[in-house]
Each structure stands twice: as C-alpha cells, then as structure tokens.
Amino acid sequence: MDQEKIFNIEEELKKLPNSPGVYIMHDKRDEILYVGKAINLHNRVRQYFQTGHGHNNSRKIAKMVEQIAYFEYIVTASDMEALVLECNLIKEYRPKYNTLMTDDKGYPYIRVTLEEDYPRLLYSHSMKRDKSKYFGPFTNGKAVKDMIDLLNKLYHLRTCSKRLPKEMGKDRPCLYHQIGQCNAPCNGHISKDEYRKNVDMAVGFLNGNYKDVLSALTLEMKELAQNMEFEKAAEKRDLIESVKHIVEKQQISKTNGDDRDVIAYASDASDIVVTVFFVREGKLLGREHYHMNGNGTEEPKDILGAFVKQYYSGIPYLPKEVLVEQEPVDKGILEDYLSQRRGSQVKILVPQKGDKKKLLVLAKDNAKLILNQDIERIKRQEKRTVGATKEIANLLGIESAKRMEAFDISNISGCLGVASMVVFEDGRPKKKAYRKFRINTVVGMDDYASMKEVLSRRFTDNKMDVLPDVIMMDGGKGQVNVALKVLDSLGLDIPVCGMVKDDNHRTRGLYYNNVEVEFEKGSEAILMITALQDEAHRFAIEYHRQLRSKNQVHSVLDEIPGVGPARRKFLIKHFKDVENIKNASLEELAQVDGIPESTARYIYDFFHQ
C-alpha cells in the first residue's frame, strides 16, 4: 500500500482523539521514524506539524518531521498503559529518531538457593520471583564468580547440583571434600542445621559483615602457625587477602541503608554518556555507563526520561530511590510505572544538598570522564582510519583514498580459480560491498588473465556502480598494468597501485606510476595497506575453501550450460584434459559419446567467443 498517496496528514490530524495513547511516525518506505507517548494524542501529535511550535525547535525533530509520510496511533486506557506500550515499541523497533540506549547489558546476581535443604551459591543472569535470595545486581561478572568461589571456600559450601537429601549417600564424596573445600552434605558429613549456619554466615558476608570474618580467619591463621601447620596457615592467609580484596571493592557511602540508583549524564554534539551508580543497603557496589545517540540539542529532561524508561524496562531489580540531576519528562507517570514494576513505591528525586548530592556530582564527574575517554578513543580511531586514508592520498598525490578496492587471485595448481574484491571506506572494511568471483575463461595458472577477467566483470557490472577512489592490486608492476589496460578499454580513469611485499612476505609499500612509493615504517598508512592486502587475501582463500568444502570438481567445464558431472566425465575421458577440449573443433566435440550436438555447440562457443 502506498501510504504517501492515500494519507492526508491535515485530514488525519483532525481525526486524532483526545485520549492517551502512543503515536508512531512512518516514512514513505514504511520504516518507523519515531515512537512517542501522549496524554492527549490530539494535542501532542498536532504539535509536530505546527510551524514555530517549541516542540520543533530541535533540529533533530524538525528533520524527522520532514520525512513523515504518515502516522498511526494506538489509544490506551491510561497514561500508564501508554508508557508501557511506548517502552515495548521502542525496544522492538528501535526507531531512528528516538533517543536510544546503544548498550544492551544484563547484570549478574548471586543467588542463594534457600528453598533447598542444603543451599548453594549460584551465578545468575537475572533475578526471578522465587524462594531464593538474590544479591546484586553487580557490574562485573568475574568479580561475582570470584565472590562465589571465595564464599564456598570460606564456608565449605557444596557446588554440586545433587538433589539433597533425595540423592544423599548414592556416591562417594567428590574431590572438593577431599581437598577440604566442602563438608560433603551429600554423604551426611555435616548436619542440616550446621550446614545452614554456614550458609547464614555467607549471607551475612554478602550483607556486609566482613569484620567478623576477618577476625575469625586471622585467629585461625595464628593458631595454625603456632601449631607449626604452616601450609594450612598460608591457606588462611590467602583467604584473608581475598576477603580484603573483596572489601576494598565494596566502597561504603555515607547515605542510609536504602537501595538507590544515582543517574547522571554528560553529552557533546554526537554522543551521550549516562552513568549509573548502584547503592545497595547503603553500600556503593559499583557503577556502569551507557551510551545513547544524540546530536547535542536534546533537553536534559528528555534524555533522562528516555533513559529511565528504557533502562528500567529491561532489568529485574528496581531500587526504592532513583536520584537524577533534573526531573525527567513525565516524572509522575514514571514513578507510578517503576512502583508498579517493583511492587512498592519508587521515588525519583533531585537532591539539592548533602551526601545524595555528592553522589550525584560524583556520577556526573564519571560520566564526563567516560565521555572524554570516548572522545580520545574516537580520535585515535580516526587517526588509524580516516587519517590513514588521507596519508595514503597525500603520499600518492591523489585527491582522495576514501574508497579503496583491493583484488586478489587464489587457485591451487590452476584449479578452481577464484578472486576477491574487498572494500575499505574511510579506513574501515565495508563487508556488504565485498565480492567473490569464480574465474570462468582462464585455464591453468594465469593470474594476469584471471585478473583481467575479474576487473572487466567488476567494472561492467551495473549493480556495482560506485567507483573506487583508488584500486589496490595484490602484486606489482604486472598486475598494475593489467588493471590499467582494462580501465583504459572501458574509458575509466582510476588510480591503480600494486601492494608490494618484501622478502619476508610483509607489505613494504605501493607501486604507483612506475615507481615504488616509500612509507614510513609503522605509519598508519602502511598499517592500513597491510590490513587491506591481508583482508583481500583472507577473503579469497576463504571463498576457495568454501568451494572445496562443497566437493565441487575443479573444472572450468562447470560453467558451461548443459555440462553436468556425467558429460564432464565423458569429455575428460575422451580429450584427457581441458586444454584439448578448448582446442577441439565443433565436429570433434559432437563425436564424443554422451554429448548432444546442442551441448557441443555450447562448449565450442564458450571457448571461442
């Protein structure tokens, strides 16, 4: 359906209901541009098309409105339903003009299986509504595994998945019992009550009770040392160091024991970094940062509103408080939504002073730091990519090397010849533009003839109408001259270089305009050329391997219409090799048993046209 022709925006605006709901903006290709929520659809959607309205002051929104071909909307029973629907649609379609989180991270938890008679500590990717007790979310998966490992050693907890007491006594105790890391409840070596006491101490540790653990371990270490049991004392010493290492990571904040998230952001003209501090039971467990797309014109309330909706719709645990720099858009509805998801009240607060404000400032500083680090990373990346292409263009004396195409030939003893074309744009591989070629007209190992065929096909293919700024050949003078002749015959003027290697088969430089261009060793330009040459070679070899893996017979005869495995066998048996078939007359081909005259004509024309 051509919505652009049948959809009259002015007429449809009049039909909008005065109800809450979600609106969806489409372009002429039916792609979703934007998903939004409205308390009143009639008022909100009309704002997009009113000249001079404040909503259109954003360059981003103005550009989006220019592309709207039609819109649709879904009426909901309440503002809350509209918010939930908006979150779901944004997550599903990821519209171009919504401010989106570009990270999609999950967080690990420590799960204590209290529903079991002999509980275990498990690594969990999510928090479920079951009888287990969960700690987290944590920001570092390795730290979670280290914590579980430490607690299992400290309290000799089981790590097996046996169903106890049902499977008790069916097997001998495992290796962990033999090395003293498990009390073997599977064989009744510890009572249920005693085992539970150990579990309770592990839970106490997770709740922050470190001092008692360190005191007990230190006392045990001293007693073992006094009894000359130095090896066991060393084990206790190592456990003490592990506990201290864990404790150091659990920075204590001065706020009360509530759970809260602290959210702040920093932005520039193209990127937004949002930092979230996780405070659980008064302890600052860590922080994580997220990237959102932006163009520098977004309002703080819109950034925070978009982040809160997307972030908390995707995680299982919600804190009692969310601290932010400014009130997000739709703060009241967001609080209701978060409270509904948590099952108890969640408040979004903007602290003005005190320890909460200090935490917010700290989060803000972290966001700025990450943003600056990203800017430096982007600069380094640009130097390696765009900077390298500019360096190549300057050294060659050409206008641009923005798009480079590299070609390579691959065959084994003249069989199953293939070629690769790889494309780098702005110094980065553009894999959608890569092409693979089967060599059709060349028999034997003739790389020059093979390259002539490949280049002719590439530059006469109407589907590949984007021309490169420079062509890179895997080879020297010979390959460059082949390419120049092909381009000249087609009336094309494109710079051609040969990627030259040294005696150790490492890329040395470029052969261009009958001279070898020297590059500074280790420069970004020579690293880029090396990457291009290696990628062309890799892609050709990979294609060759794919064809061999399919058990395809290595013969140019495969490309001739009417010649299948049986007729190919007849031809090889009669003429002995492909070269004799190529030189045979039409009459000689027609005399081969199993080859009809029409197929003989196909074979003859294939080699003589």
Side-chain angles (χ1 to χ4, degrees), residues 7 11-26 34-36 38 40-42 45 70-76 85 89:
F7 194 90
E11 290 298 320
E12 294 300 325
L13 287 173
K14 298 175 183 177
K15 302 176 184 177
L16 286 164
N18 293 295
S19 307
V22 171
Y23 54 92
I24 306 165
M25 304 297 194
H26 294 261
Y34 187 81
V35 173
N40 186 308
L41 286 167
H42 184 272
V45 177
Y70 69 99
F71 60 80
E72 57 181 319
Y73 54 88
I74 303 170
V75 174
T76 59
L85 179 59
L89 291 176

PDB file of all heavy atoms in Angstrom, residues 7 11-26 34-36 38 40-42 45 70-76 85 89:
ATOM      1  N   PHE A   7      -2.641   8.958   2.290  1.00  0.00           N
ATOM      2  CA  PHE A   7      -2.673   9.513   3.637  1.00  0.00           C
ATOM      3  C   PHE A   7      -2.565  11.031   3.564  1.00  0.00           C
ATOM      4  O   PHE A   7      -1.547  11.586   3.161  1.00  0.00           O
ATOM      5  CB  PHE A   7      -1.524   8.940   4.478  1.00  0.00           C
ATOM      6  CG  PHE A   7      -1.680   9.197   5.957  1.00  0.00           C
ATOM      7  CD1 PHE A   7      -2.348   8.298   6.766  1.00  0.00           C
ATOM      8  CD2 PHE A   7      -1.166  10.349   6.541  1.00  0.00           C
ATOM      9  CE1 PHE A   7      -2.487   8.519   8.121  1.00  0.00           C
ATOM     10  CE2 PHE A   7      -1.299  10.588   7.898  1.00  0.00           C
ATOM     11  CZ  PHE A   7      -1.961   9.656   8.696  1.00  0.00           C
ATOM     12  N   GLU A  11      -5.879  16.071   7.119  1.00  0.00           N
ATOM     13  CA  GLU A  11      -7.177  15.458   7.404  1.00  0.00           C
ATOM     14  C   GLU A  11      -7.081  14.495   8.584  1.00  0.00           C
ATOM     15  O   GLU A  11      -7.968  14.441   9.446  1.00  0.00           O
ATOM     16  CB  GLU A  11      -7.708  14.717   6.170  1.00  0.00           C
ATOM     17  CG  GLU A  11      -8.143  15.633   5.035  1.00  0.00           C
ATOM     18  CD  GLU A  11      -9.294  16.542   5.460  1.00  0.00           C
ATOM     19  OE1 GLU A  11     -10.208  16.064   6.175  1.00  0.00           O
ATOM     20  OE2 GLU A  11      -9.252  17.744   5.112  1.00  0.00           O
ATOM     21  N   GLU A  12      -5.988  13.741   8.624  1.00  0.00           N
ATOM     22  CA  GLU A  12      -5.836  12.750   9.701  1.00  0.00           C
ATOM     23  C   GLU A  12      -5.603  13.416  11.048  1.00  0.00           C
ATOM     24  O   GLU A  12      -5.977  12.884  12.093  1.00  0.00           O
ATOM     25  CB  GLU A  12      -4.684  11.789   9.374  1.00  0.00           C
ATOM     26  CG  GLU A  12      -4.929  10.913   8.159  1.00  0.00           C
ATOM     27  CD  GLU A  12      -6.161  10.036   8.318  1.00  0.00           C
ATOM     28  OE1 GLU A  12      -6.435   9.578   9.445  1.00  0.00           O
ATOM     29  OE2 GLU A  12      -6.849   9.805   7.308  1.00  0.00           O
ATOM     30  N   LEU A  13      -4.963  14.594  11.049  1.00  0.00           N
ATOM     31  CA  LEU A  13      -4.753  15.316  12.311  1.00  0.00           C
ATOM     32  C   LEU A  13      -6.077  15.689  12.958  1.00  0.00           C
ATOM     33  O   LEU A  13      -6.216  15.700  14.181  1.00  0.00           O
ATOM     34  CB  LEU A  13      -3.912  16.574  12.066  1.00  0.00           C
ATOM     35  CG  LEU A  13      -2.416  16.351  11.780  1.00  0.00           C
ATOM     36  CD1 LEU A  13      -1.752  17.674  11.395  1.00  0.00           C
ATOM     37  CD2 LEU A  13      -1.710  15.747  12.992  1.00  0.00           C
ATOM     38  N   LYS A  14      -7.079  15.988  12.110  1.00  0.00           N
ATOM     39  CA  LYS A  14      -8.393  16.366  12.635  1.00  0.00           C
ATOM     40  C   LYS A  14      -9.091  15.190  13.319  1.00  0.00           C
ATOM     41  O   LYS A  14      -9.954  15.390  14.167  1.00  0.00           O
ATOM     42  CB  LYS A  14      -9.269  16.893  11.505  1.00  0.00           C
ATOM     43  CG  LYS A  14      -8.720  18.162  10.843  1.00  0.00           C
ATOM     44  CD  LYS A  14      -9.582  18.566   9.656  1.00  0.00           C
ATOM     45  CE  LYS A  14      -8.999  19.787   8.930  1.00  0.00           C
ATOM     46  NZ  LYS A  14      -9.810  20.138   7.740  1.00  0.00           N
ATOM     47  N   LYS A  15      -8.715  13.987  12.931  1.00  0.00           N
ATOM     48  CA  LYS A  15      -9.383  12.795  13.449  1.00  0.00           C
ATOM     49  C   LYS A  15      -8.780  12.288  14.764  1.00  0.00           C
ATOM     50  O   LYS A  15      -9.304  11.349  15.370  1.00  0.00           O
ATOM     51  CB  LYS A  15      -9.330  11.670  12.421  1.00  0.00           C
ATOM     52  CG  LYS A  15      -9.973  12.032  11.083  1.00  0.00           C
ATOM     53  CD  LYS A  15      -9.782  10.900  10.081  1.00  0.00           C
ATOM     54  CE  LYS A  15     -10.316  11.269   8.703  1.00  0.00           C
ATOM     55  NZ  LYS A  15     -10.056  10.193   7.725  1.00  0.00           N
ATOM     56  N   LEU A  16      -7.673  12.873  15.187  1.00  0.00           N
ATOM     57  CA  LEU A  16      -6.994  12.375  16.391  1.00  0.00           C
ATOM     58  C   LEU A  16      -7.892  12.512  17.615  1.00  0.00           C
ATOM     59  O   LEU A  16      -8.498  13.562  17.835  1.00  0.00           O
ATOM     60  CB  LEU A  16      -5.701  13.152  16.614  1.00  0.00           C
ATOM     61  CG  LEU A  16      -4.548  12.815  15.665  1.00  0.00           C
ATOM     62  CD1 LEU A  16      -3.477  13.900  15.720  1.00  0.00           C
ATOM     63  CD2 LEU A  16      -3.941  11.468  16.031  1.00  0.00           C
ATOM     64  N   PRO A  17      -7.975  11.486  18.449  1.00  0.00           N
ATOM     65  CA  PRO A  17      -8.832  11.547  19.645  1.00  0.00           C
ATOM     66  C   PRO A  17      -8.154  12.287  20.786  1.00  0.00           C
ATOM     67  O   PRO A  17      -6.927  12.367  20.863  1.00  0.00           O
ATOM     68  CB  PRO A  17      -9.017  10.067  19.994  1.00  0.00           C
ATOM     69  CG  PRO A  17      -7.761   9.421  19.512  1.00  0.00           C
ATOM     70  CD  PRO A  17      -7.360  10.158  18.259  1.00  0.00           C
ATOM     71  N   ASN A  18      -8.938  12.817  21.681  1.00  0.00           N
ATOM     72  CA  ASN A  18      -8.427  13.462  22.891  1.00  0.00           C
ATOM     73  C   ASN A  18      -8.255  12.410  23.981  1.00  0.00           C
ATOM     74  O   ASN A  18      -8.879  12.463  25.046  1.00  0.00           O
ATOM     75  CB  ASN A  18      -9.390  14.563  23.353  1.00  0.00           C
ATOM     76  CG  ASN A  18      -9.440  15.719  22.369  1.00  0.00           C
ATOM     77  OD1 ASN A  18      -8.437  16.408  22.177  1.00  0.00           O
ATOM     78  ND2 ASN A  18     -10.586  15.922  21.731  1.00  0.00           N
ATOM     79  N   SER A  19      -7.405  11.444  23.705  1.00  0.00           N
ATOM     80  CA  SER A  19      -7.223  10.296  24.601  1.00  0.00           C
ATOM     81  C   SER A  19      -5.738  10.025  24.769  1.00  0.00           C
ATOM     82  O   SER A  19      -4.918  10.392  23.920  1.00  0.00           O
ATOM     83  CB  SER A  19      -7.898   9.044  24.014  1.00  0.00           C
ATOM     84  OG  SER A  19      -9.246   9.295  23.697  1.00  0.00           O
ATOM     85  N   PRO A  20      -5.365   9.345  25.855  1.00  0.00           N
ATOM     86  CA  PRO A  20      -3.962   8.917  25.980  1.00  0.00           C
ATOM     87  C   PRO A  20      -3.664   7.805  24.996  1.00  0.00           C
ATOM     88  O   PRO A  20      -4.571   7.062  24.580  1.00  0.00           O
ATOM     89  CB  PRO A  20      -3.874   8.425  27.429  1.00  0.00           C
ATOM     90  CG  PRO A  20      -5.266   8.033  27.789  1.00  0.00           C
ATOM     91  CD  PRO A  20      -6.173   8.964  27.030  1.00  0.00           C
ATOM     92  N   GLY A  21      -2.407   7.691  24.621  1.00  0.00           N
ATOM     93  CA  GLY A  21      -2.041   6.632  23.689  1.00  0.00           C
ATOM     94  C   GLY A  21      -0.621   6.796  23.185  1.00  0.00           C
ATOM     95  O   GLY A  21       0.160   7.618  23.677  1.00  0.00           O
ATOM     96  N   VAL A  22      -0.296   6.010  22.183  1.00  0.00           N
ATOM     97  CA  VAL A  22       1.036   6.007  21.575  1.00  0.00           C
ATOM     98  C   VAL A  22       0.888   6.330  20.099  1.00  0.00           C
ATOM     99  O   VAL A  22      -0.009   5.811  19.430  1.00  0.00           O
ATOM    100  CB  VAL A  22       1.716   4.633  21.757  1.00  0.00           C
ATOM    101  CG1 VAL A  22       2.992   4.549  20.951  1.00  0.00           C
ATOM    102  CG2 VAL A  22       2.000   4.367  23.227  1.00  0.00           C
ATOM    103  N   TYR A  23       1.772   7.196  19.588  1.00  0.00           N
ATOM    104  CA  TYR A  23       1.758   7.525  18.162  1.00  0.00           C
ATOM    105  C   TYR A  23       3.048   7.014  17.519  1.00  0.00           C
ATOM    106  O   TYR A  23       4.107   6.965  18.145  1.00  0.00           O
ATOM    107  CB  TYR A  23       1.597   9.028  17.940  1.00  0.00           C
ATOM    108  CG  TYR A  23       2.607   9.883  18.654  1.00  0.00           C
ATOM    109  CD1 TYR A  23       3.791  10.271  18.037  1.00  0.00           C
ATOM    110  CD2 TYR A  23       2.375  10.310  19.970  1.00  0.00           C
ATOM    111  CE1 TYR A  23       4.726  11.060  18.698  1.00  0.00           C
ATOM    112  CE2 TYR A  23       3.292  11.100  20.635  1.00  0.00           C
ATOM    113  CZ  TYR A  23       4.470  11.471  19.998  1.00  0.00           C
ATOM    114  OH  TYR A  23       5.389  12.245  20.651  1.00  0.00           O
ATOM    115  N   ILE A  24       2.941   6.619  16.250  1.00  0.00           N
ATOM    116  CA  ILE A  24       4.050   6.009  15.521  1.00  0.00           C
ATOM    117  C   ILE A  24       4.207   6.725  14.191  1.00  0.00           C
ATOM    118  O   ILE A  24       3.286   6.731  13.362  1.00  0.00           O
ATOM    119  CB  ILE A  24       3.796   4.502  15.280  1.00  0.00           C
ATOM    120  CG1 ILE A  24       3.486   3.803  16.612  1.00  0.00           C
ATOM    121  CG2 ILE A  24       4.984   3.858  14.592  1.00  0.00           C
ATOM    122  CD1 ILE A  24       2.875   2.426  16.442  1.00  0.00           C
ATOM    123  N   MET A  25       5.358   7.345  13.975  1.00  0.00           N
ATOM    124  CA  MET A  25       5.633   8.087  12.748  1.00  0.00           C
ATOM    125  C   MET A  25       6.357   7.195  11.742  1.00  0.00           C
ATOM    126  O   MET A  25       7.357   6.555  12.080  1.00  0.00           O
ATOM    127  CB  MET A  25       6.493   9.316  13.049  1.00  0.00           C
ATOM    128  CG  MET A  25       5.899  10.262  14.082  1.00  0.00           C
ATOM    129  SD  MET A  25       4.340  10.993  13.528  1.00  0.00           S
ATOM    130  CE  MET A  25       4.166  12.328  14.736  1.00  0.00           C
ATOM    131  N   HIS A  26       5.879   7.182  10.487  1.00  0.00           N
ATOM    132  CA  HIS A  26       6.478   6.371   9.425  1.00  0.00           C
ATOM    133  C   HIS A  26       7.003   7.259   8.306  1.00  0.00           C
ATOM    134  O   HIS A  26       6.462   8.338   8.055  1.00  0.00           O
ATOM    135  CB  HIS A  26       5.443   5.415   8.820  1.00  0.00           C
ATOM    136  CG  HIS A  26       4.956   4.359   9.753  1.00  0.00           C
ATOM    137  ND1 HIS A  26       5.447   3.079   9.755  1.00  0.00           N
ATOM    138  CD2 HIS A  26       3.993   4.393  10.724  1.00  0.00           C
ATOM    139  CE1 HIS A  26       4.810   2.360  10.672  1.00  0.00           C
ATOM    140  NE2 HIS A  26       3.930   3.140  11.280  1.00  0.00           N
ATOM    141  N   TYR A  34       9.769   7.256  14.562  1.00  0.00           N
ATOM    142  CA  TYR A  34       9.681   7.720  15.943  1.00  0.00           C
ATOM    143  C   TYR A  34       8.457   7.107  16.616  1.00  0.00           C
ATOM    144  O   TYR A  34       7.412   6.932  15.988  1.00  0.00           O
ATOM    145  CB  TYR A  34       9.558   9.255  15.960  1.00  0.00           C
ATOM    146  CG  TYR A  34       9.632   9.880  17.333  1.00  0.00           C
ATOM    147  CD1 TYR A  34      10.859  10.092  17.950  1.00  0.00           C
ATOM    148  CD2 TYR A  34       8.487  10.279  18.009  1.00  0.00           C
ATOM    149  CE1 TYR A  34      10.941  10.680  19.210  1.00  0.00           C
ATOM    150  CE2 TYR A  34       8.552  10.858  19.268  1.00  0.00           C
ATOM    151  CZ  TYR A  34       9.781  11.055  19.862  1.00  0.00           C
ATOM    152  OH  TYR A  34       9.858  11.625  21.100  1.00  0.00           O
ATOM    153  N   VAL A  35       8.621   6.774  17.881  1.00  0.00           N
ATOM    154  CA  VAL A  35       7.504   6.306  18.710  1.00  0.00           C
ATOM    155  C   VAL A  35       7.405   7.230  19.912  1.00  0.00           C
ATOM    156  O   VAL A  35       8.404   7.501  20.585  1.00  0.00           O
ATOM    157  CB  VAL A  35       7.714   4.851  19.173  1.00  0.00           C
ATOM    158  CG1 VAL A  35       6.633   4.455  20.172  1.00  0.00           C
ATOM    159  CG2 VAL A  35       7.714   3.903  17.988  1.00  0.00           C
ATOM    160  N   GLY A  36       6.204   7.753  20.164  1.00  0.00           N
ATOM    161  CA  GLY A  36       6.026   8.658  21.286  1.00  0.00           C
ATOM    162  C   GLY A  36       4.770   8.346  22.074  1.00  0.00           C
ATOM    163  O   GLY A  36       3.854   7.669  21.591  1.00  0.00           O
ATOM    164  N   ALA A  38       1.594  10.010  24.498  1.00  0.00           N
ATOM    165  CA  ALA A  38       0.865  11.267  24.694  1.00  0.00           C
ATOM    166  C   ALA A  38      -0.243  11.082  25.725  1.00  0.00           C
ATOM    167  O   ALA A  38      -0.935  10.058  25.738  1.00  0.00           O
ATOM    168  CB  ALA A  38       0.269  11.732  23.368  1.00  0.00           C
ATOM    169  N   ASN A  40      -2.611  13.298  25.644  1.00  0.00           N
ATOM    170  CA  ASN A  40      -3.691  13.661  24.729  1.00  0.00           C
ATOM    171  C   ASN A  40      -3.146  13.581  23.314  1.00  0.00           C
ATOM    172  O   ASN A  40      -2.366  14.426  22.877  1.00  0.00           O
ATOM    173  CB  ASN A  40      -4.182  15.080  25.033  1.00  0.00           C
ATOM    174  CG  ASN A  40      -5.403  15.469  24.214  1.00  0.00           C
ATOM    175  OD1 ASN A  40      -5.412  15.344  22.985  1.00  0.00           O
ATOM    176  ND2 ASN A  40      -6.437  15.956  24.879  1.00  0.00           N
ATOM    177  N   LEU A  41      -3.516  12.541  22.573  1.00  0.00           N
ATOM    178  CA  LEU A  41      -2.998  12.320  21.227  1.00  0.00           C
ATOM    179  C   LEU A  41      -3.293  13.500  20.300  1.00  0.00           C
ATOM    180  O   LEU A  41      -2.446  13.906  19.498  1.00  0.00           O
ATOM    181  CB  LEU A  41      -3.587  11.033  20.638  1.00  0.00           C
ATOM    182  CG  LEU A  41      -3.024   9.726  21.199  1.00  0.00           C
ATOM    183  CD1 LEU A  41      -3.907   8.558  20.775  1.00  0.00           C
ATOM    184  CD2 LEU A  41      -1.595   9.497  20.715  1.00  0.00           C
ATOM    185  N   HIS A  42      -4.494  14.064  20.413  1.00  0.00           N
ATOM    186  CA  HIS A  42      -4.903  15.155  19.526  1.00  0.00           C
ATOM    187  C   HIS A  42      -3.958  16.352  19.662  1.00  0.00           C
ATOM    188  O   HIS A  42      -3.495  16.920  18.661  1.00  0.00           O
ATOM    189  CB  HIS A  42      -6.347  15.565  19.845  1.00  0.00           C
ATOM    190  CG  HIS A  42      -6.881  16.619  18.930  1.00  0.00           C
ATOM    191  ND1 HIS A  42      -6.731  17.966  19.169  1.00  0.00           N
ATOM    192  CD2 HIS A  42      -7.562  16.527  17.755  1.00  0.00           C
ATOM    193  CE1 HIS A  42      -7.288  18.665  18.196  1.00  0.00           C
ATOM    194  NE2 HIS A  42      -7.811  17.799  17.315  1.00  0.00           N
ATOM    195  N   VAL A  45       0.281  15.152  18.888  1.00  0.00           N
ATOM    196  CA  VAL A  45       0.698  14.858  17.514  1.00  0.00           C
ATOM    197  C   VAL A  45       0.599  16.097  16.633  1.00  0.00           C
ATOM    198  O   VAL A  45       1.450  16.338  15.769  1.00  0.00           O
ATOM    199  CB  VAL A  45      -0.140  13.696  16.930  1.00  0.00           C
ATOM    200  CG1 VAL A  45       0.233  13.433  15.469  1.00  0.00           C
ATOM    201  CG2 VAL A  45       0.063  12.432  17.758  1.00  0.00           C
ATOM    202  N   TYR A  70       3.325   9.273   6.908  1.00  0.00           N
ATOM    203  CA  TYR A  70       2.050   9.016   7.578  1.00  0.00           C
ATOM    204  C   TYR A  70       2.313   8.635   9.025  1.00  0.00           C
ATOM    205  O   TYR A  70       3.451   8.345   9.409  1.00  0.00           O
ATOM    206  CB  TYR A  70       1.262   7.918   6.861  1.00  0.00           C
ATOM    207  CG  TYR A  70       1.846   6.527   6.954  1.00  0.00           C
ATOM    208  CD1 TYR A  70       1.364   5.599   7.876  1.00  0.00           C
ATOM    209  CD2 TYR A  70       2.864   6.118   6.085  1.00  0.00           C
ATOM    210  CE1 TYR A  70       1.876   4.320   7.949  1.00  0.00           C
ATOM    211  CE2 TYR A  70       3.395   4.842   6.151  1.00  0.00           C
ATOM    212  CZ  TYR A  70       2.893   3.951   7.089  1.00  0.00           C
ATOM    213  OH  TYR A  70       3.408   2.687   7.163  1.00  0.00           O
ATOM    214  N   PHE A  71       1.287   8.661   9.843  1.00  0.00           N
ATOM    215  CA  PHE A  71       1.411   8.249  11.231  1.00  0.00           C
ATOM    216  C   PHE A  71       0.228   7.355  11.593  1.00  0.00           C
ATOM    217  O   PHE A  71      -0.808   7.357  10.922  1.00  0.00           O
ATOM    218  CB  PHE A  71       1.489   9.454  12.176  1.00  0.00           C
ATOM    219  CG  PHE A  71       0.292  10.370  12.129  1.00  0.00           C
ATOM    220  CD1 PHE A  71      -0.886  10.067  12.807  1.00  0.00           C
ATOM    221  CD2 PHE A  71       0.345  11.545  11.380  1.00  0.00           C
ATOM    222  CE1 PHE A  71      -1.983  10.916  12.759  1.00  0.00           C
ATOM    223  CE2 PHE A  71      -0.751  12.394  11.323  1.00  0.00           C
ATOM    224  CZ  PHE A  71      -1.919  12.077  12.011  1.00  0.00           C
ATOM    225  N   GLU A  72       0.429   6.593  12.628  1.00  0.00           N
ATOM    226  CA  GLU A  72      -0.662   5.794  13.179  1.00  0.00           C
ATOM    227  C   GLU A  72      -0.623   5.951  14.695  1.00  0.00           C
ATOM    228  O   GLU A  72       0.357   6.451  15.252  1.00  0.00           O
ATOM    229  CB  GLU A  72      -0.532   4.323  12.782  1.00  0.00           C
ATOM    230  CG  GLU A  72       0.788   3.683  13.188  1.00  0.00           C
ATOM    231  CD  GLU A  72       0.874   2.230  12.739  1.00  0.00           C
ATOM    232  OE1 GLU A  72      -0.142   1.522  12.854  1.00  0.00           O
ATOM    233  OE2 GLU A  72       1.961   1.808  12.297  1.00  0.00           O
ATOM    234  N   TYR A  73      -1.685   5.545  15.363  1.00  0.00           N
ATOM    235  CA  TYR A  73      -1.713   5.696  16.808  1.00  0.00           C
ATOM    236  C   TYR A  73      -2.512   4.564  17.436  1.00  0.00           C
ATOM    237  O   TYR A  73      -3.336   3.906  16.787  1.00  0.00           O
ATOM    238  CB  TYR A  73      -2.295   7.050  17.211  1.00  0.00           C
ATOM    239  CG  TYR A  73      -3.658   7.356  16.614  1.00  0.00           C
ATOM    240  CD1 TYR A  73      -4.838   6.968  17.253  1.00  0.00           C
ATOM    241  CD2 TYR A  73      -3.764   8.043  15.403  1.00  0.00           C
ATOM    242  CE1 TYR A  73      -6.074   7.248  16.703  1.00  0.00           C
ATOM    243  CE2 TYR A  73      -5.001   8.324  14.844  1.00  0.00           C
ATOM    244  CZ  TYR A  73      -6.153   7.930  15.502  1.00  0.00           C
ATOM    245  OH  TYR A  73      -7.389   8.201  14.949  1.00  0.00           O
ATOM    246  N   ILE A  74      -2.218   4.334  18.706  1.00  0.00           N
ATOM    247  CA  ILE A  74      -2.901   3.303  19.482  1.00  0.00           C
ATOM    248  C   ILE A  74      -3.445   3.962  20.737  1.00  0.00           C
ATOM    249  O   ILE A  74      -2.674   4.520  21.542  1.00  0.00           O
ATOM    250  CB  ILE A  74      -1.938   2.158  19.858  1.00  0.00           C
ATOM    251  CG1 ILE A  74      -1.302   1.553  18.590  1.00  0.00           C
ATOM    252  CG2 ILE A  74      -2.662   1.088  20.662  1.00  0.00           C
ATOM    253  CD1 ILE A  74      -0.167   0.584  18.894  1.00  0.00           C
ATOM    254  N   VAL A  75      -4.740   3.933  20.905  1.00  0.00           N
ATOM    255  CA  VAL A  75      -5.381   4.530  22.076  1.00  0.00           C
ATOM    256  C   VAL A  75      -5.256   3.560  23.251  1.00  0.00           C
ATOM    257  O   VAL A  75      -5.454   2.348  23.103  1.00  0.00           O
ATOM    258  CB  VAL A  75      -6.856   4.845  21.786  1.00  0.00           C
ATOM    259  CG1 VAL A  75      -7.557   5.338  23.042  1.00  0.00           C
ATOM    260  CG2 VAL A  75      -6.963   5.871  20.668  1.00  0.00           C
ATOM    261  N   THR A  76      -4.917   4.098  24.418  1.00  0.00           N
ATOM    262  CA  THR A  76      -4.814   3.270  25.623  1.00  0.00           C
ATOM    263  C   THR A  76      -5.793   3.774  26.682  1.00  0.00           C
ATOM    264  O   THR A  76      -6.308   4.898  26.590  1.00  0.00           O
ATOM    265  CB  THR A  76      -3.384   3.296  26.190  1.00  0.00           C
ATOM    266  OG1 THR A  76      -3.035   4.646  26.501  1.00  0.00           O
ATOM    267  CG2 THR A  76      -2.394   2.738  25.188  1.00  0.00           C
ATOM    268  N   LEU A  85       3.414   0.654  26.717  1.00  0.00           N
ATOM    269  CA  LEU A  85       3.367   0.353  25.286  1.00  0.00           C
ATOM    270  C   LEU A  85       4.498   1.061  24.554  1.00  0.00           C
ATOM    271  O   LEU A  85       5.147   0.480  23.670  1.00  0.00           O
ATOM    272  CB  LEU A  85       2.010   0.757  24.700  1.00  0.00           C
ATOM    273  CG  LEU A  85       1.823   0.509  23.195  1.00  0.00           C
ATOM    274  CD1 LEU A  85       2.014  -0.964  22.859  1.00  0.00           C
ATOM    275  CD2 LEU A  85       0.429   0.978  22.758  1.00  0.00           C
ATOM    276  N   LEU A  89       7.394  -0.784  22.293  1.00  0.00           N
ATOM    277  CA  LEU A  89       7.552  -0.496  20.865  1.00  0.00           C
ATOM    278  C   LEU A  89       8.947   0.037  20.558  1.00  0.00           C
ATOM    279  O   LEU A  89       9.535  -0.310  19.525  1.00  0.00           O
ATOM    280  CB  LEU A  89       6.485   0.504  20.406  1.00  0.00           C
ATOM    281  CG  LEU A  89       5.046  -0.019  20.381  1.00  0.00           C
ATOM    282  CD1 LEU A  89       4.077   1.098  19.992  1.00  0.00           C
ATOM    283  CD2 LEU A  89       4.897  -1.190  19.416  1.00  0.00           C
TER     284      LEU A  89
END
